[in-house]
């Protein structure tokens, strides 16, 4: 593990800040030591990653791409007066739009408020060359304005990208672009019929993962996302660069993995996606790996449709020793889990874990990215073939360096002794909890025969994240981690317990506007765990007032571990049995509501620190270096691009759908 001060002096991790966002940079540690063939593979896969950008924009809102192109045209036009308040407000709006892949907040899913006037935008766009505007054939400026201005300026039109409010039609009230003309009831009935028709299939597909569900004059049907379907211009570019990557694959199996992904993109056949996932899980020899496709379903209120995402990675060989120590003992952790034995896997298969360096982020993983990933998501593939888990070491390293000395912990941690505990063990235990969450948590447990993996519906993502978090929380305090040499002593786990409870009960509220409730699945998961333990534990965890400020106090760490075990057992039962009603009750009771007085206090205290609550990343630019004969002799990583330069370059060089 690297120390906080072990960084290249000239490399600046902290970049631009605006609104509630802070841009960071991540460094490609060890990239120079890769072979030329490996660098070329990273480059080709990175191109395939960047070409998916427009897909994510469209998935996150029907009008996102046209609004982006309109505002970019105004932003770059020489005729635009850049000194007005309206322009400066539009600039912030555009930067937020770039960050969120659309006009909705990347975490809260609420539509951004335009701080500029429609009159100013109308005048500004009138001065722009019409060839630069997103005009359809024969469309006038007035028609463009009539379509886009209400979406931009009227807060009541398409106000939320993903709505999860209990009792509402989650499709009709969500602006995400996965459905067209259907209601929630119609969509659920459509996919239930498909599942019933395939009852008994031991290798089911992920129904709806790569389609838009449409209702038109012909009825309800799916439009597939493929080389010859929706998003074809983008997918063809992705496939081209995957074909180039296949030519420089590190081994035959890696080439087969890429080939199966190409076949899946070409046909849209979800059976081929299953084949690809199985082959991908089994490829371990190469140092380079990637995720590319319609993967996570958090962006769909029904949890069916996969948002497009991409990440290119290479193994961090030193840090991987830690993750492999965990994965090689996966069966022990499963056997000793505090859940009902009926819900444990009798034979854990194919669990692998690596610490990796991200080399390129794209789609739903950019600019805001995960710090750990566990795939594939299909439960039956996990059970029969295993899963791959990654912890992104250069991303967590950038987070740690950017947070060093910012005053956050000093403001919210209860006392000096706890602060010293977190300073001493926090980074180690944060990484370990991520490893346990991704490698073992998501891969643990099993569904009972006949349980629909989508039975928990809108609550499924929150329950699954809580299950993985609880698995990590329970085991980070276990003697086994000491035996494996993964923690320095028996006190280390307390830093994670305190940080987690403080975050779930208090400090994650900095990401919520006054008067709002918790909506994002990961935040709901943390709130569920923290508030359940706070309520059920009596005096185990308390909130104390001192000097007008609220602090979390953990009075019995061992008892808190027992609470985590109890809740893990119940959450696993809910998942294994598909108990929708209990899932709904748990989430609605513990995971959503916000104490207004405590919320305002946390916001006021955080404001004094002058920090941004959300972080995202600029990608390095990978530049081929050619010799005198024009042959590629190296790939160079350049970190000099500004945020606006990178976003405008992506909009210019990787635009496929507008």
């Amino acid at each position: 593990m690297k120390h906080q001060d072990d960084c290249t002096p000239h490399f600046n991790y902290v970049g631009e800040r605006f609104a509630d966002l802070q841009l960071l940079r991540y460094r490609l540690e060890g990239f120079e030591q890769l072979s030329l063939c490996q660098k070329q593979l990273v480059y080709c896969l990175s191109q395939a990653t960047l070409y998916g950008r427009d897909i994510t924009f469209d998935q996150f809102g029907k009008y996102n791409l046209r609004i982006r192109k309109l505002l970019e045209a105004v932003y770059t036009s020489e005729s635009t007066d850049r000194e007005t308040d309206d322009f400066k407000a539009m600039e912030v709006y555009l930067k937020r739009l770039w960050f969120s892949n659309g006009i909705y907040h990347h975490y809260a899913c609420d539509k951004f408020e335009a701080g500029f006037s429609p009159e100013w935008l109308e005048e500004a766009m009138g001065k722009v060359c019409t060839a630069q505007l997103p005009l359809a054939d024969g469309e006038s400026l007035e028609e463009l304005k009539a379509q886009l201005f209400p979406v931009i300026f009227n807060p009541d039109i398409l106000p939320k990208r993903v709505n999860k409010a209990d009792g509402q039609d989650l499709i009709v009230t969500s602006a995400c672009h996965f459905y067209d003309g259907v209601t929630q009831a119609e969509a659920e009935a459509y996919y239930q019929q498909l599942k019933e028709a395939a009852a008994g299939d031991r290798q089911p597909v992920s129904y709806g993962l790569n389609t838009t569900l449409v209702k038109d004059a012909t009825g309800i049907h799916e439009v597939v996302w493929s080389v010859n379907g929706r998003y074809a211009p983008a997918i063809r570019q992705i496939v081209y660069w995957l074909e180039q990557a296949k030519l420089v694959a590190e081994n035959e199996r890696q080439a087969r993995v890429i080939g199966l992904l190409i076949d899946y993109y070409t046909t849209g056949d979800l059976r081929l996606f299953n084949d690809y996932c199985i082959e991908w899980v089994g490829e371990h020899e190469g140092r380079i790996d990637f995720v590319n496709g319609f993967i996570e379903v958090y962006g769909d209120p029904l949890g069916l449709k996969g948002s497009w995402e991409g990440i290119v990675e290479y193994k961090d060989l030193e840090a991987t020793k830690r993750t492999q120590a965990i994965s090689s003992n996966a069966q022990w952790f499963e056997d000793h889990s505090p859940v009902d034995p009926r819900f444990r896997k009798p034979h854990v298969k194919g669990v692998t874990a690596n610490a990796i360096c991200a080399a390129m982020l794209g789609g739903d993983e950019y600019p805001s990215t995960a710090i750990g990933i566990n795939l594939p998501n299909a439960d039956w593939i996990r059970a029969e073939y295993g899963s791959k888990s990654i912890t992104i070491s250069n991303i967590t390293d950038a987070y740690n360096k950017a947070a060093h000395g910012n005053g956050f912990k000093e403001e919210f941690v209860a006392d000096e002794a706890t602060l010293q505990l977190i300073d001493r063990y926090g980074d180690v235990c944060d990484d370990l909890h991520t490893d346990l969450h991704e490698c073992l948590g998501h891969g643990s447990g099993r569904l009972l025969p006949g349980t629909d993996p989508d039975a928990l519906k809108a609550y499924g993502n929150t329950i699954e994240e809580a299950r993985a978090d609880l698995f990590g929380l329970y085991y980070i305090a276990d003697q086994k981690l000491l035996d494996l040499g993964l923690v320095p002593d028996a006190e280390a786990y307390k830093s994670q317990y305190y940080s987690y409870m403080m975050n779930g009960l208090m400090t994650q509220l900095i990401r919520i506007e006054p008067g709002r409730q918790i909506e994002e699945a990961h935040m709901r998961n943390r709130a569920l765990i923290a508030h359940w333990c706070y309520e059920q534990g009596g005096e185990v965890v308390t909130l104390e007032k001192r000097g007008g400020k609220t602090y979390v106090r953990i009075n019995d760490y061992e008892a808190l571990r027992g609470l985590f075990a109890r809740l893990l057992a119940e959450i696993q039962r809910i998942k294994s049995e598909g108990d929708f009603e209990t899932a709904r009750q748990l989430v609605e009771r513990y995971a959503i509501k916000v104490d207004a007085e405590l919320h305002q206090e946390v916001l006021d205290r955080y404001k004094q620190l002058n920090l941004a609550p959300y972080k995202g990343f600029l990608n390095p630019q990978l530049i081929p270096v050619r010799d005198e004969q024009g042959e590629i002799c190296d790939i160079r990583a350049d970190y000099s691009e500004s945020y606006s330069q990178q976003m405008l370059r992506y909009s210019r060089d990787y635009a496929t759908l507008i």
Side-chain angles (χ1 to χ4, degrees), residues 240-251:
Y240 171 82
W241 283 104
L242 289 174
E243 288 170 340
Q244 302 309 301
K246 186 179 176 183
L247 297 176
V248 289
E250 296 177 275
N251 56 64

Side-chain angles (χ1 to χ4, degrees), residues 178-248:
F178 296 121
Y179 304 91
D180 188 358
V182 298
T183 65
Q184 178 180 349
E186 289 171 331
E188 289 178 342
Y190 179 90
Y191 288 112
Q192 184 61 36
Q193 186 176 27
L194 290 182
K195 291 176 182 179
E196 289 175 356
D201 188 350
R202 297 184 64 241
Q203 298 186 346
V205 300
S206 300
Y207 290 104
L209 184 70
N210 66 334
T211 64
T212 304
L213 189 64
V214 175
K215 182 179 181 181
D216 56 23
T218 65
I220 297 177
H221 58 96
E222 292 181 296
V223 179
V224 178
W225 309 331
S226 68
V227 160
N228 296 307
R230 184 164 290 189
Y231 302 136
I235 294 175
R236 287 172 190 154
Q237 289 289 344
I238 294 169
V239 165
Y240 171 82
W241 283 104
L242 289 174
E243 288 170 340
Q244 302 309 301
K246 186 179 176 183
L247 297 176
V248 289

Side-chain angles (χ1 to χ4, degrees), residues 88-156:
K88 292 174 182 176
M90 187 276 289
E91 182 177 30
V92 172
Y93 183 94
L94 177 58
K95 289 180 177 180
R96 298 182 76 188
L97 179 153
W98 285 331
F99 191 96
S100 297
N101 294 294
I103 63 173
Y104 301 91
H105 194 282
H106 73 289
Y107 226 73
C109 294
D110 297 315
K111 188 164 71 172
F112 299 137
E113 180 180 352
F116 52 97
S117 71
E119 293 79 15
W120 175 85
L121 181 58
E122 181 178 15
E123 180 181 357
M125 63 187 279
K127 298 176 182 178
V128 176
C129 174
T130 55
Q132 304 302 314
L133 297 174
L135 292 168
D137 290 342
E139 186 179 27
S140 68
L141 284 177
E142 279 301 314
E143 290 170 325
L144 178 66
K145 173 189 167 186
Q147 183 181 83
L148 298 187
F149 275 40
V151 180
I152 296 172
F153 294 106
N154 189 332
D156 298 323

Side-chain angles (χ1 to χ4, degrees), residues 466-478:
R467 192 175 72 90
D469 260 2
L470 285 163
F471 198 96
L473 289 167
Y474 176 75
Y475 275 117
I476 202 168
D478 201 279

